[in-house]
Amino acid sequence: KDQYDAHMSQTTLGREYLFNCPNRSGDKFLALGVGSLFNHSSSSPNVCYRVDTSNMEIRYTTGYRSVECGEELCITYGPKE
């Protein structure tokens, strides 16, 4: 958290693209690979994620609701700070 406050919070990357970890106070995660392709939807996400802190991974599933063929994949970026 101290490194984020001192450095990342001052960048677009830190303000716009980091996930707030829901189960560890102050931790941030940067989604790389497939995780960087999801758009944000706080009202109707169709992709959910689970943070595996033991492996420092974000795991994605389409668990909120059914996803139609051709539908955009959307995710909520986590709780507000």
Side-chain angles (χ1 to χ4, degrees), residues 44-49 61-66 74-76:
S44 186
N46 52 19
V47 174
C48 56
Y49 69 94
T61 61
T62 54
Y64 282 125
R65 60 181 177 81
S66 297
C74 295
I75 195 166
T76 180

Side-chain angles (χ1 to χ4, degrees), residues 8-39:
M8 291 296 288
S9 66
Q10 308 303 313
T11 69
T12 299
L13 180 66
R15 289 189 311 270
E16 303 294 332
Y17 296 102
L18 294 180
F19 283 76
N20 294 318
C21 183
N23 57 351
R24 293 184 69 193
S25 179
D27 283 350
K28 307 280 185 188
F29 287 87
L30 175 62
L32 301 173
V34 171
S36 64
L37 300 176
F38 303 127
N39 281 325

Side-chain angles (χ1 to χ4, degrees), residues 1-9:
K1 176 129 174 60
D2 293 339
Q3 288 181 350
Y4 172 79
D5 290 340
H7 305 288
M8 291 296 288
S9 66

